[in-house]
Amino acid sequence: MTQCVEDEAVDKKVFKDCSKIAFYRRQKQRLSKKSTHRALLDSVTTKVDSTSFRIISEANKNPLLAEVYGLEGNIFRLKINEETPLRPRFEVPDVLTGKLETTRLTSFSGDTGSLVLADGKGDLKLHIIADPFKVDLVSGNDVVMSINSLGKLYFEHLQIPPKQRGTKENEDDGSIDMSQDKQDDMGLWEEKFGKFVDVKANGPASIGLDFSLHGFRHLYGIPQHAESHQLKNTSDGDAYRLYNLDVYGYKIYNKMGIYGSVPYLLAHKVGRTVGIFWLNASETLVEINTEPAVENTLSQMGSVAQQKVRSQTNVHWMSESGVIDVFLLTGPTPSDVFRQYSHLTGTQAMPPIFSLGYHQCRWNYEDEQDVKAVDAGFDEHDIPYDAMWLDIEHTRGKRYFTWDRKRFPRPKRMQELLRSKKRKLVVISDPHIKVDPNYSLYTEAKERGFFVRNHEGGDFHGICWPGLSSYLDFTNPRVREWYSGLFAFPVYQGSTGILFLWNDMNEPSVFRGPELTMQKNAIHHGNWEHRELHNIYGFYQQMATAEGLIQRSEGKERPFVLTRSFFAGSQKYGAVWTGDNKSDWSYLKISIPMLLTLSITGISFCGADVGGFVGNPDAELFVRWYQAGAYQPFFRGHATRNTKRREPWLFGEKYTRLIREAIRERYTLLPYWYSLFYRANVTAEPIMRPLWVEFPNELETFSMEDEYMLGSALLVHPVTEAKPTMVDVFLPGSDEVWYDSKTFAQWEGACSVKIPVTLDTIPVFQRGGSVVPVKTILGKSTGWMTESPYGLRVALSSQGSAVGELYLDDGHSFQYSHQKHFLHRKFSFSSGVLTNSCADERGHYPSKCVVEQILVLGLRKQPSFVTTHSSDGKDQRVAFTYSASTSTLSLEKLSLKIGANWEIHIK
């Protein structure tokens, strides 16, 4: 949530476009003058883990130092820094996982003026050309990617401030006109925006580099933008901006930066997927330009000369400061790239199972009585839910870690009521701390020097919800350690083990600051300016919060933390949502590509506010949003102040029934969801997947963003328009079979089908060849369903086979990891036999659960009989129902242990 100043919030006067960003203007001006760099290959130094060489430009004789690393899993890393910077330049800490294994690169000279570095297997090579400097990534004989082939390498060397210079000799290289007016315009030492002046004590320090992707036309990634899933070409002045900002009711189909930044993109074509991870936490701009394939050209004589030139897409990264530190993820498949990125930044944390249920939130539930009434409303209307949320009004005057004594006088009793229903409470904790000498948290942080400082050395002050506030410096490990300690039960009075956290406003949001955020020259731990690390501030708060929740349970319980601001690697600490969206059909529609983009860039646990945060949805939009949200990883209803109350039962019985059905379908699929989170945690496979990930050789899927795969088994096409009678659903795969999950109607793949829809229709299709585990009995929350029986939905492929899996553990502790307390089962159907077998012998977990229902879709012939074969050798005949019209076989009243080996024979 944000200041409710809607007109101001997305006003161009408040937020910059590219023309107002000085380092962008400087790079564009300088690069128009075509200064070339060359590599000095006689300076090559080979170490055990890296190869380095100098780069110089005609304009600047101060050399750059390039270092090339080979990393395990087919990843290359290129770092470029000044060889002898005036001061150290910022390098992003804490994002990369600690276990980056390097591989030895073999170097040999290529043609004159080039060097080739090959990985151990020799099929991947970096071909470094000296003059002009260029690097080609070669796979086999194919040039996949070129670096600096457009000559956009840009590096502003640190300088002595003009006031301290004795002579002109230390001045920048002279290619910038240093007249005073020009300096001001270029924003070298200070930059004006509206009434704000950004004074740059360290001067200009921006960097840039271009990458050409050969044969690629489809790029994805670099969240967060309210934009299409496939990245668009950018025109001059319209780059994708990565700069975390609090943008209330953000504009859609817009490349402006919003709450989070992941400087990582993927490129995909038939036969190859690659990734580029640009590790930089300062303001970053990305330009994209696709050059179409040229099939032929006219020769001078007028006859047609055949000439085939592959399409290519050029990507130009520009950052305000730091060093060039870029990782090339060479694929070759989408799943290889996901795994490579997870080697660098980690996988999605395994969430507690309650957090996969439905969450109920608004700004604000008024008091304990309100919480009790809303909680009872879910039971009264037979709607499951797992977590009640409290926004900022639950605190004493916006002082976090406190309770308003009038509204919430007995917070523990309120939590005990929720605990008795096996539900949880989530409360908000923002990074700004009210300036108040009587607030112990403020005074302790102040005394210990734990706040971000202003450039004069005092504590930085900004306005936020409590009024005048100081901001905790989460970049300081000691501040994070202290903040984590605040969640201990004796310290956080009124908290219990069912209380979890929500970090908001952590871009950070500063109401009267430039672009509603912190001045770039504020000072952090290590004397780094805020500009160096702006995009990683919220990442650090979520890290400290998650660590605090783990510590309060003495390392036993999994945390749940939702954050609004994020960076690469935030997946290790919890969930992310798309911020302050609007109650409008267009925002429901854009939520799908926004979540797909987050998902493929590592952040699988993501969602959008159901119903839209700003405004009042009508009943139809409200229902459709629940139907969409039920099939998205993070599922929370939320609304701002001054909106009408909108608990799921307030629109009339007809709509209550439809919302109940959508939420119940979420709980039915809980075993499938939890198994998908296990896969995301172990193998880095996204949960929500764009179609191109599952069908990487089908060109028509590459731009699709109105439907998606949930895991590999379910295709979901949410209805995102008002009053439709029909939706067009594309079912991919020429050798695939698809089944309507409600009617069991069958379609062959590689075609578009027109599906009639009414308000109760959620177009969901199960892929032939899959087995989806479900729960057959639902409870008031996930906690009531631990021992509920399972069902299996077996959808046969065109070959009459199917496979699936189930992951199961206690749903809340770390014992799955520490003691291997889990079950991982594999289901397979082939030649009329369904088998349940162990998928991971390391796991052991006692479960009383049984499989009581099995549905087989696509069985062409009625069986004569069905028998179960258990591991103790007992065979038993089973009653069955067969429907010839839908080719479905239904087995009920079974009692087959989920954790035991067994077979079902269909004869």
Side-chain angles (χ1 to χ4, degrees):
M1 65 194 180
T2 306
Q3 278 179 295
C4 295
V5 192
E6 201 164 336
D7 295 336
E8 183 193 28
V10 203
D11 187 341
K12 286 287 187 206
K13 293 193 217 46
V14 175
F15 300 106
K16 294 180 181 181
D17 57 30
C18 289
S19 69
K20 301 282 192 299
I21 298 168
F23 76 85
Y24 178 81
R25 295 199 306 273
R26 291 199 303 273
Q27 293 213 24
K28 296 300 262 186
Q29 188 209 53
R30 177 85 63 92
L31 293 169
S32 66
K33 298 193 172 156
K34 209 68 185 155
S35 146
T36 56
H37 287 81
R38 65 192 161 90
L40 304 178
L41 295 184
D42 54 359
S43 70
V44 171
T45 310
T46 307
K47 296 182 185 157
V48 175
D49 63 346
S50 67
T51 302
S52 58
F53 53 89
R54 291 194 192 93
I55 300 171
I56 59 166
S57 76
E58 298 154 6
N60 191 326
K61 295 300 179 264
N62 296 327
L64 298 172
L65 183 68
E67 297 170 280
V68 180
Y69 302 79
L71 300 178
E72 283 291 350
N74 297 336
I75 303 168
F76 290 106
R77 181 183 196 178
L78 171 65
K79 287 183 80 172
I80 302 177
N81 195 354
E82 298 181 61
E83 186 175 43
T84 51
L86 204 56
R87 296 172 291 282
R89 296 179 70 114
F90 187 75
E91 298 188 33
V92 178
D94 303 314
V95 166
L96 299 175
T97 58
K99 47 180 194 280
L100 295 188
E101 297 285 328
T102 56
T103 58
R104 186 103 196 218
L105 295 177
T106 314
S107 64
F108 46 94
S109 296
D111 312 331
T112 314
S114 74
L115 171 72
V116 178
L117 299 175
D119 71 351
K121 296 184 284 297
D123 52 349
L124 287 169
K125 299 184 185 73
L126 288 181
H127 192 166
I128 299 160
I129 294 107
D131 192 10
F133 169 61
K134 180 174 86 144
V135 181
D136 285 336
L137 169 64
V138 182
S139 173
N141 295 317
D142 186 31
V143 180
V144 178
M145 183 191 311
S146 299
I147 302 174
N148 202 44
S149 59
L150 304 179
K152 292 188 176 176
L153 170 58
Y154 184 92
F155 217 101
E156 292 179 330
H157 293 257
L158 296 177
Q159 307 165 43
I160 295 169
K163 289 171 187 163
Q164 296 171 21
R165 291 183 194 155
T167 66
K168 295 276 282 184
E169 68 186 355
N170 288 316
E171 215 167 84
D172 191 39
D173 52 55
S175 62
I176 288 180
D177 177 350
M178 297 297 281
S179 72
Q180 193 58 49
D181 289 351
K182 200 69 179 171
Q183 264 193 60
D184 290 350
D185 182 51
M186 290 287 105
L188 297 172
W189 296 93
E190 62 177 47
E191 182 173 351
K192 296 184 178 72
F193 176 62
K195 64 182 182 188
F196 300 102
V197 180
D198 175 17
V199 176
K200 305 178 184 184
N202 297 319
S206 87
I207 57 171
L209 190 59
D210 65 88
F211 299 77
S212 295
L213 295 147
H214 301 291
F216 292 91
R217 290 186 296 120
H218 296 88
L219 273 65
Y220 314 93
I222 54 172
Q224 189 179 31
H225 302 94
E227 255 294 6
S228 58
H229 176 54
Q230 184 186 340
L231 296 174
K232 293 174 176 170
N233 278 352
T234 58
S235 53
D236 260 5
D238 182 37
Y240 283 91
R241 189 180 186 202
L242 294 172
Y243 191 61
N244 297 354
L245 291 171
D246 175 359
V247 188
Y248 177 81
Y250 46 81
K251 286 185 175 165
I252 59 175
Y253 300 108
N254 193 293
K255 301 183 187 74
M256 74 181 293
I258 49 176
Y259 310 98
S261 296
V262 181
Y264 163 50
L265 61 76
L266 298 86
H268 177 70
K269 63 181 179 181
V270 173
R272 189 99 199 185
T273 313
V274 295
I276 300 172
F277 175 35
W278 176 268
L279 181 53
N280 191 296
S282 71
E283 180 178 359
T284 296
L285 298 167
V286 186
E287 291 187 319
I288 292 166
N289 178 39
T290 300
E291 298 174 4
V294 180
E295 290 296 334
N296 53 51
T297 54
L298 281 172
S299 73
Q300 287 176 329
M301 301 301 288
S303 59
V304 176
Q306 289 299 314
Q307 180 200 20
K308 192 157 186 182
V309 178
R310 287 194 296 177
S311 59
Q312 80 175 38
T313 299
N314 303 317
V315 181
H316 182 197
W317 297 82
M318 292 163 272
S319 291
E320 183 177 9
S321 58
V323 301
I324 292 172
D325 190 0
V326 64
F327 297 82
L328 311 180
L329 284 50
T330 65
T333 67
S335 56
D336 289 327
V337 173
F338 299 143
R339 191 170 56 251
Q340 287 157 356
Y341 180 70
S342 76
H343 284 332
L344 301 174
T345 66
T347 60
Q348 180 67 56
M350 192 67 195
I353 198 164
F354 89 82
S355 63
L356 306 191
Y358 173 65
H359 301 256
Q360 184 64 35
C361 187
R362 79 174 274 114
W363 179 20
N364 206 93
Y365 285 114
E366 294 299 325
D367 50 29
E368 289 175 9
Q369 199 50 46
D370 198 4
V371 168
K372 190 174 179 181
V374 172
D375 176 73
F378 278 90
D379 296 338
E380 195 183 313
H381 295 91
D382 193 25
I383 299 172
Y385 95 104
D386 262 84
M388 173 65 70
W389 289 51
L390 293 178
D391 212 316
I392 55 177
E393 312 301 334
H394 82 276
T395 62
R396 185 167 54 84
K398 321 292 191 296
R399 296 166 180 85
Y400 303 105
F401 300 93
T402 69
W403 303 86
D404 183 303
R405 294 187 191 115
K406 286 202 179 101
R407 296 171 171 216
F408 297 93
R410 300 179 69 178
K412 281 193 174 174
R413 186 180 69 169
M414 174 178 67
Q415 288 167 74
E416 287 313 316
L417 167 76
L418 292 171
R419 188 195 296 273
S420 72
K421 309 266 193 90
K422 301 191 181 183
R423 290 172 177 147
K424 314 290 187 233
L425 180 70
V426 181
V427 299
I428 199 164
S429 186
D430 293 350
H432 52 259
I433 302 296
K434 183 176 177 65
V435 173
D436 174 6
N438 299 315
Y439 176 25
S440 61
L441 196 147
Y442 168 76
T443 53
E444 187 181 349
K446 183 171 178 60
E447 280 163 17
R448 299 179 70 168
F450 282 174
F451 290 125
V452 178
R453 290 169 291 136
N454 60 39
H455 63 282
E456 279 132 16
D459 287 346
F460 173 86
H461 288 150
I463 305 292
C464 210
W465 296 125
L468 194 66
S469 303
S470 287
Y471 288 71
L472 289 168
D473 184 4
F474 290 106
T475 68
N476 182 342
R478 286 177 54 234
V479 175
R480 294 199 298 273
E481 187 183 342
W482 171 79
Y483 189 77
S484 296
L486 299 177
F487 295 97
F489 299 122
V491 182
Y492 190 173
Q493 297 286 310
S495 70
T496 75
I498 67 153
L499 178 144
F500 295 88
L501 265 293
W502 168 23
N503 296 151
D504 196 10
M505 313 297 285
N506 53 348
E507 292 74 27
S509 179
V510 181
F511 287 163
R512 293 178 196 163
E515 301 192 273
L516 305 182
T517 192
M518 189 174 279
Q519 275 85 337
K520 285 181 171 179
N521 60 1
I523 304 294
H524 289 265
H525 174 66
N527 279 330
W528 294 110
E529 283 193 313
H530 184 71
R531 81 182 72 251
E532 304 282 355
L533 48 83
H534 172 85
N535 286 345
I536 205 171
Y537 181 84
F539 165 96
Y540 276 127
Q541 188 193 12
Q542 190 189 23
M543 175 200 281
T545 306
E547 185 54 39
L549 294 183
I550 294 169
Q551 281 177 20
R552 83 176 177 187
S553 71
E554 298 176 341
K556 296 187 179 114
E557 298 293 318
R558 295 176 222 168
F560 168 75
V561 186
L562 177 74
T563 183
R564 189 169 74 177
S565 185
F566 55 88
F567 191 70
S570 287
Q571 65 269 13
K572 297 191 288 286
Y573 307 114
V576 158
W577 92 107
T578 61
D580 297 344
N581 59 357
K582 292 185 185 178
S583 299
D584 187 273
W585 288 96
S586 60
Y587 283 78
L588 168 58
K589 194 181 183 79
I590 200 82
S591 71
I592 300 166
M594 288 179 77
L595 297 177
L596 289 174
T597 297
L598 284 167
S599 298
I600 61 160
T601 52
I603 299 175
S604 267
F605 201 179
C606 57
D609 284 344
V610 169
F613 179 68
V614 183
N616 295 299
D618 63 27
E620 183 191 5
L621 173 59
F622 199 53
V623 167
R624 289 300 190 200
W625 216 315
Y626 271 94
Q627 292 172 340
Y631 289 91
Q632 292 166 353
F634 176 61
F635 185 24
R636 178 183 76 155
H638 189 28
T640 186
R641 285 192 302 192
N642 312 325
T643 55
K644 294 174 190 165
R645 289 293 284 253
R646 55 161 107 142
E647 284 70 46
W649 52 87
L650 292 180
F651 285 76
E653 178 46 42
K654 171 187 171 186
Y655 302 107
T656 302
R657 177 180 61 78
L658 293 170
I659 293 169
R660 179 191 301 118
E661 283 170 11
I663 294 176
R664 286 175 68 84
E665 188 54 36
R666 168 61 163 234
Y667 281 78
T668 299
L669 281 169
L670 201 63
Y672 182 62
W673 276 108
Y674 199 57
S675 301
L676 290 179
F677 268 91
Y678 169 73
R679 301 293 297 180
N681 176 252
V682 172
T683 66
E685 292 169 27
I687 291 168
M688 257 182 98
R689 301 175 191 171
L691 293 190
W692 64 264
V693 166
E694 281 295 310
F695 301 93
N697 296 320
E698 296 195 28
L699 202 56
E700 57 270 59
T701 67
F702 293 5
S703 305
M704 285 195 175
E705 61 177 35
D706 56 354
E707 60 185 52
Y708 57 92
M709 296 295 295
L710 199 53
S712 60
L714 296 179
L715 184 148
V716 185
H717 186 112
V719 178
T720 59
E721 278 163 10
K723 300 184 176 50
T725 54
M726 199 83 73
V727 292
D728 287 318
V729 177
F730 179 73
L731 299 172
S734 53
D735 51 355
E736 300 282 348
V737 186
W738 296 90
Y739 301 86
D740 185 303
S741 66
K742 285 287 179 281
T743 66
F744 312 137
Q746 288 178 42
W747 284 273
E748 288 185 359
C751 65
S752 281
V753 292
K754 288 197 179 299
I755 304 292
V757 291
T758 54
L759 194 51
D760 64 352
T761 314
I762 312 174
V764 177
F765 301 83
Q766 186 170 344
R767 186 180 187 176
S770 67
V771 180
V772 172
V774 296
K775 284 283 188 178
T776 57
I777 298 175
L778 307 185
K780 295 177 177 186
S781 69
T782 55
W784 293 100
M785 293 167 55
T786 309
E787 294 183 4
S788 295
Y790 286 93
L792 298 178
R793 297 178 182 172
V794 182
L796 300 185
S797 68
S798 50
Q799 287 81 41
S801 62
V803 292
E805 65 179 355
L806 172 74
Y807 173 81
L808 177 63
D809 61 24
D810 67 18
H812 62 87
S813 79
F814 283 108
Q815 289 193 0
Y816 74 94
S817 173
H818 301 156
Q819 282 94 22
K820 303 297 176 205
H821 284 193
F822 67 85
L823 284 181
H824 188 194
R825 308 296 300 176
K826 180 183 179 186
F827 307 111
S828 56
F829 187 99
S830 183
S831 307
V833 179
L834 175 66
T835 308
N836 175 7
S837 59
C838 181
D840 188 341
E841 298 287 355
R842 296 171 306 165
H844 53 94
Y845 181 69
S847 173
K848 296 176 187 167
C849 290
V850 296
V851 174
E852 71 165 14
Q853 284 179 12
I854 294 172
L855 188 64
V856 183
L857 309 180
L859 198 67
R860 297 274 175 235
K861 192 166 142 246
Q862 176 159 348
S864 311
F865 57 88
V866 177
T867 53
T868 61
H869 295 244
S870 55
S871 51
D872 57 13
K874 287 184 185 160
D875 295 1
Q876 203 171 349
R877 281 215 174 189
V878 178
F880 64 86
T881 314
Y882 181 76
S883 163
S885 63
T886 58
S887 303
T888 56
L889 172 72
S890 178
L891 311 177
E892 304 213 356
K893 298 185 179 165
L894 302 168
S895 188
L896 297 164
K897 283 189 176 170
I898 194 70
N901 293 347
W902 43 257
E903 293 178 350
I904 293 179
H905 291 242
I906 299 167
K907 293 275 171 47

